[in-house]
Amino acid sequence: MKENFKLVATVAAGLESVVGKEVKALGFDCKVENGKVYFEGGIEAIIKTNLWLRAADRIKIIVGQFQAKTFEELFQGVNNLDWEDYLPLGSKFPISKAKCVKSRLHNEPSVQAITKKAVVKKLQKHYHRPEGVPLQEVGSEFKIEVSLLKDVATIMIDTSGSSLFKRGYRIQKGGAPIKENMAAAILELSNWFPDKPLVDPTCGSGTFCIEAALIGMNIAPGFNRSFAFEEWSWVDKDTVQAIRNQAEEMANYDIKLDISGFDIDGRMIEIAKKNAQEAGLADLITFKQMRLQDFTTEKLNGVIVSNPPYGERLLDDKAVDILYNEMGQAFAPLKTWSKFILTNDENFEKKFGSQADKKRKLYNGTLKVDLYHFYGERIKRNLSER
């Protein structure tokens, strides 16, 4: 089997720089493009990035890339790849996904069928199996994906299994909650550090607070879940366990954190508490039922993160306007606090009553949103002095 791989971390639009920074922090050089971060490494790279990347969606092996303007070119291109270095005899290899964009080949089911046929033929030849006899697919699963962009085919194998945002702690959720990897990315884009107070005044099921606690304690986000690659026979289980043990040793369980989540809905507070308990963080986060407009504090230099109801999450536009106005009034006295608020409302600043210091375009699923940055006085002063 191969010892070095071309890899790609897929990522939501607007968060590429966050994932690129995470990949570099793990010791891998990378190249950032729209929705993707490319890097190379051995099996340790596959294990570490799946385990540690907080903002990525998936980690995939790039098996090959070639031009495919016709089905014959697609077949020959796939057939020429070194599948024997990835797929042991008897393994399952569904063509789980095909995506065709601006390409002459646009029938995705046909692309999947041709790809499957080409892989089968290559494996039959390598494992000396007669063409008329189907390959038995009874072993571990390798999900193959095909991407066709401007007539260039990229063939990949997914190493993650379930998307990396599925940390394993969210046993319950509310309406349209923010994904865990999006919440982690926003925290990384903010100016929050573990020595600062953090408040989510519209915490819902508690995702921001839980992700902040994981970051603060340096707990690998994938520590409590499994990955597709762990079932592959050529992935050494001792290596996986050694890297998991290393992650356990790197966690700082003694750190003191000041993280609070509030919500007007008492039912959501109970859900947030259960999720925090599932993550093993119940004693580190304060959850309390409270109206946003009742929030006040004497603490200094804290950070507020909020994913307030918007768009499909709350259909009453008038209620949204009132909420944003009350949010602005409640946060106005907190001069030293920075605020990071995610919404798709283009008139948010007007309703909030203050102009953001920075605005960043992101995608929450398929919904285009903006992350509004309002910096505390000390940071504003530092920026103005540069």
Side-chain angles (χ1 to χ4, degrees):
M1 296 299 170
K2 294 182 76 71
E3 295 184 358
N4 198 64
F5 305 90
K6 292 182 178 180
L7 301 166
V8 59
T10 57
V11 55
L15 299 179
E16 296 89 349
S17 63
V18 176
V19 175
K21 186 177 179 180
E22 290 181 332
V23 170
K24 288 178 181 177
L26 291 173
F28 306 107
D29 291 332
C30 64
K31 178 183 177 183
V32 176
E33 292 185 2
N34 290 338
K36 299 177 179 66
V37 178
Y38 295 96
F39 60 104
E40 294 186 14
I43 187 60
E44 294 84 1
I46 294 175
I47 301 168
K48 287 181 179 179
T49 51
N50 272 288
L51 193 63
W52 279 104
L53 293 187
R54 299 184 187 276
D57 290 327
R58 293 179 182 276
I59 308 300
K60 301 176 184 179
I61 297 171
I62 300 176
V63 182
Q65 195 171 57
F66 51 87
Q67 189 175 74
K69 296 180 180 180
T70 66
F71 283 122
E72 179 62 22
E73 288 182 341
L74 176 64
F75 180 90
Q76 294 300 333
V78 173
N79 186 252
N80 288 334
L81 298 177
D82 52 351
W83 291 107
E84 65 276 12
D85 289 341
Y86 300 96
L87 307 179
L89 181 62
S91 58
K92 301 173 188 173
F93 51 98
I95 314 303
S96 61
K97 185 178 180 181
K99 185 177 182 181
C100 305
V101 179
K102 298 179 181 178
S103 296
R104 299 180 198 187
L105 299 181
H106 56 270
N107 187 308
E108 293 173 353
S110 295
V111 168
Q112 288 175 288
I114 293 294
T115 301
K116 180 73 174 185
K117 184 178 179 180
V119 178
V120 168
K121 186 170 183 179
K122 180 62 175 283
L123 294 180
Q124 285 175 328
K125 181 179 180 180
H126 178 78
Y127 292 116
H128 307 291
R129 293 297 187 269
E131 289 190 20
V133 180
L135 290 173
Q136 295 296 311
E137 297 187 36
V138 294
S140 53
E141 186 174 64
F142 296 76
K143 288 186 176 180
I144 298 171
E145 300 183 8
V146 185
S147 171
L148 273 163
L149 175 62
K150 296 181 180 179
D151 296 325
V152 174
T154 304
I155 315 299
M156 297 167 286
I157 298 175
D158 173 42
T159 74
S160 300
S162 298
S163 177
L164 296 181
F165 81 82
K166 295 185 177 181
R167 318 288 206 217
Y169 64 73
R170 193 153 69 181
I171 54 177
Q172 294 187 58
K173 57 185 179 181
I178 191 169
K179 289 182 178 179
E180 292 89 326
N181 54 353
M182 171 69 85
I186 289 172
L187 289 164
E188 293 186 68
L189 288 169
S190 77
N191 64 309
W192 180 73
F193 288 93
D195 61 346
K196 292 182 178 182
L198 179 83
V199 171
D200 180 357
T202 57
C203 71
S205 57
T207 307
F208 272 127
C209 296
I210 295 171
E211 289 297 317
L214 292 174
I215 292 171
M217 298 180 74
N218 198 36
I219 295 175
F223 189 78
N224 289 317
R225 57 159 288 174
S226 60
F227 305 97
F229 69 82
E230 292 181 274
E231 300 298 319
W232 299 350
S233 60
W234 50 267
V235 174
D236 182 60
K237 290 179 171 50
D238 290 339
T239 301
V240 175
Q241 192 56 54
I243 293 174
R244 283 187 174 276
N245 291 343
Q246 184 184 51
E248 173 75 9
E249 293 171 1
M250 293 172 66
N252 182 0
Y253 294 108
D254 297 323
I255 192 170
K256 301 297 181 183
L257 299 172
D258 186 352
I259 300 173
S260 301
F262 309 119
D263 202 284
I264 193 172
D265 188 342
R267 183 180 64 89
M268 293 309 304
I269 291 297
E270 292 305 311
I271 289 175
K273 288 179 178 179
K274 290 178 181 178
N275 289 339
Q277 185 174 15
E278 183 68 18
L281 304 169
D283 296 335
L284 293 164
I285 305 170
T286 300
F287 287 114
K288 180 181 178 181
Q289 182 180 8
M290 187 174 70
R291 299 189 312 162
L292 181 147
Q293 54 266 47
D294 292 335
F295 171 62
T296 182
T297 180
E298 297 298 320
K299 297 173 184 177
L300 301 175
N301 302 319
V303 173
I304 290 172
V305 289
S306 177
N307 177 38
Y310 58 80
E312 298 175 359
R313 301 178 67 233
L314 186 60
L315 299 178
D316 188 340
D317 291 339
K318 184 177 181 181
V320 171
D321 293 350
I322 293 172
L323 174 66
Y324 291 167
N325 183 259
E326 291 175 340
M327 181 180 283
Q329 293 181 42
F331 296 168
L334 307 177
K335 303 295 186 184
T336 67
W337 283 61
S338 294
K339 302 96 179 176
F340 299 85
I341 302 167
L342 189 72
T343 177
N344 74 333
D345 192 329
E346 295 180 355
N347 296 313
F348 171 75
E349 291 164 300
K350 182 178 180 181
K351 299 170 184 177
F352 185 73
S354 179
Q355 185 174 353
D357 297 298
K358 184 177 179 180
K359 187 168 71 170
R360 189 184 190 104
K361 292 190 180 299
L362 302 173
Y363 280 86
N364 189 6
T366 58
L367 185 64
K368 186 168 71 173
V369 295
D370 289 299
L371 178 64
Y372 292 86
H373 302 225
F374 300 88
Y375 297 122
E377 286 182 343
R378 184 173 62 178
I379 296 176
K380 288 182 181 180
R381 186 167 60 250
N382 290 341
L383 290 173
S384 67
E385 291 173 353
R386 290 179 183 176

